């Protein structure tokens, strides 16, 4: 079985204890992932999601200020191959020139990566949970 690194995951979450998965949580600091395995990246979304502007106005947390987590996740996906997951309509996609998904399938970007819109309830999640995926090197 090949190894996959799961980046920016919750301590003790669903990736822990799985054969072939090397989980990286806050304590391990996934921004420092050195490779060499493909990744499944879940960078924090609070500073990029549709409510980020409201949060900034209300509590002062700057939109896009995630401590470099999204950028590190994107770099890991492009370097080692894999998939990055973020909420649908994430402002991070535009900020990092990633292709916004089109309805009905995968959209190829000039960067060599692919993006797609999924509804997580199709895969067992209790909520609809609209999500964008970015894949590179897979």
């Amino acid at each position: 079985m090949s190894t996959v690194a799961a980046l920016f995951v919750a301590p003790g979450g669903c990736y822990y204890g799985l054969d072939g998965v090397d989980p990286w949580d806050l304590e391990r600091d996934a921004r420092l992932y050195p490779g060499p395995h493909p990744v499944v990246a879940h960078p924090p979304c609070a500073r990029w999601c549709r409510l980020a502007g409201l949060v900034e106005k209300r509590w002062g947390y700057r939109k896009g200020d995630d401590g470099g987590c999204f950028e590190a996740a994107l770099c890991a996906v492009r370097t080692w191959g894999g998939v990055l997951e973020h909420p649908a309509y994430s402002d991070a996609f535009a900020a990092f020139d990633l292709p916004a998904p089109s309805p009905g399938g995968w959209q190829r970007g000039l960067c060599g990566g692919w993006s797609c819109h999924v509804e997580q309830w199709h895969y067992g999640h209790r909520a609809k949970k609209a999500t964008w995926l970015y894949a590179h090197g897979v």
Side-chain angles (χ1 to χ4, degrees), residues 17 37 45 55 93 98:
H37 306 295
C45 61
V55 171
F93 272 61
L98 299 179

Side-chain angles (χ1 to χ4, degrees), residues 29-88:
D29 195 352
R31 293 174 299 179
L32 305 176
Y33 177 67
H37 306 295
V39 303
V40 174
H42 299 275
C45 61
R47 304 294 173 258
W48 295 105
C49 71
R50 293 170 115 178
L51 296 176
L54 174 71
V55 171
E56 181 175 355
K57 287 181 182 179
R58 177 73 171 94
W59 288 285
Y61 299 114
R62 294 189 49 113
K63 191 174 182 179
D65 186 10
D66 69 351
C69 292
F70 190 92
E71 184 175 20
L74 180 59
C75 183
V77 166
R78 286 181 169 164
T79 301
W80 307 109
V83 178
L84 185 152
E85 175 267 345
H86 232 231

